[in-house]
Amino acid sequence: MPSSVQILGTGQLVDLSRRLRRAGGPRLRQNVSRRVRRAAEPLQKDLQRSIRGVQLPGPGRTTRGGPSPTTRPLRATIAAAIRISVRSGASPGARVWVDRSRLPSDIKNMPWVIEAGRVRHPVYANRRRWVTQWARPTGWWSSTVQAGTPRMRAEIERVLGDVRRDLQ
């Protein structure tokens, strides 16, 4: 089930945050934030690619079809809602998450529904006729996060090492 990926409050990040405050370098702090954001961007891109690739096959029988009643593509809308935030204050870290406020009200829970593998919706906005679409639970969120988190952590460790050398 999608939630957020966070690398927060590790001892090194807290120590670095204190040193940056003592050094009084807002430019240095901005540089660290920018580099931490860049470390999280590959995970964000992987998650966006993963949700765009999820297949939602139909119920099995083919009947008449037609254009979608909405103009927004589901997977692209969810991909656009995957965000990154970086904090450098008291609880420094990076976070990658699905921003529900960027999703239309009728699909706010859809990232979690797709992760579970079962999507139930009305047929072409006809609320009297519903269909269930089953997706193979690919773990578009969990498996992608599991694969991308070590790379993100390693990159942040490298950034911390560079900044630590600069501060000494």
Side-chain angles (χ1 to χ4, degrees), residues 2-49:
S3 58
S4 63
V5 182
Q6 299 181 29
I7 297 179
L8 295 175
T10 63
Q12 293 175 353
L13 281 173
V14 172
D15 182 48
L16 178 65
S17 178
R18 287 185 189 132
R19 285 185 179 184
L20 285 173
R21 255 185 270 132
R22 269 188 260 128
R27 188 171 183 190
L28 183 61
R29 198 174 337 196
Q30 287 173 348
N31 185 29
V32 170
S33 294
R34 181 174 37 81
R35 290 182 67 191
V36 168
R37 176 176 292 284
R38 280 192 190 155
E41 283 174 356
L43 180 59
Q44 179 191 28
K45 301 278 187 237
D46 289 347
L47 285 166
Q48 289 172 336
R49 192 176 311 112

Side-chain angles (χ1 to χ4, degrees), residues 2 20 34 46 48 62 70 74 84 103 114 118 131 137 142 145 149-150 160 164-165:
L20 285 173
R34 181 174 37 81
D46 289 347
Q48 289 172 336
T62 50
T70 63
L74 172 68
I84 300 174
L103 293 172
I114 291 174
R118 178 179 177 259
V131 67
S142 55
V145 165
T149 300
L160 292 177
R164 202 175 300 121
R165 277 193 303 277

Side-chain angles (χ1 to χ4, degrees), residues 50-51 53-55 114-117 135-144:
S50 179
I51 187 61
V54 170
Q55 295 297 314
I114 291 174
E115 174 82 2
R136 192 170 329 150
T138 58
W140 74 269
W141 179 269
S142 55
S143 63
T144 306

Side-chain angles (χ1 to χ4, degrees), residues 63-81:
T63 59
R64 66 175 195 237
S68 172
T70 63
T71 57
R72 64 175 191 272
L74 172 68
R75 290 172 285 260
T77 303
I78 294 171

Side-chain angles (χ1 to χ4, degrees), residues 28 34 41 86 100 103-105 128 130 136 154 168:
L28 183 61
R34 181 174 37 81
E41 283 174 356
V86 176
R100 290 182 59 183
L103 293 172
S105 61
R128 289 180 290 163
W130 287 72
R136 192 170 329 150
Q168 291 176 350

Side-chain angles (χ1 to χ4, degrees), residues 63-141:
T63 59
R64 66 175 195 237
S68 172
T70 63
T71 57
R72 64 175 191 272
L74 172 68
R75 290 172 285 260
T77 303
I78 294 171
I82 297 174
R83 312 280 290 168
I84 300 174
S85 70
V86 176
R87 289 188 303 234
S88 61
S91 173
R95 178 179 174 206
V96 179
W97 84 104
V98 176
D99 186 359
R100 290 182 59 183
S101 68
R102 297 193 67 161
L103 293 172
S105 61
D106 59 335
I107 63 168
K108 286 202 183 291
N109 291 326
M110 195 58 71
W112 295 270
V113 170
I114 291 174
E115 174 82 2
R118 178 179 177 259
V119 179
R120 183 165 162 72
H121 61 90
V123 177
Y124 295 107
N126 179 357
R127 293 230 165 281
R128 289 180 290 163
R129 187 165 173 214
W130 287 72
V131 67
T132 301
Q133 288 182 271
W134 296 91
R136 192 170 329 150
T138 58
W140 74 269
W141 179 269

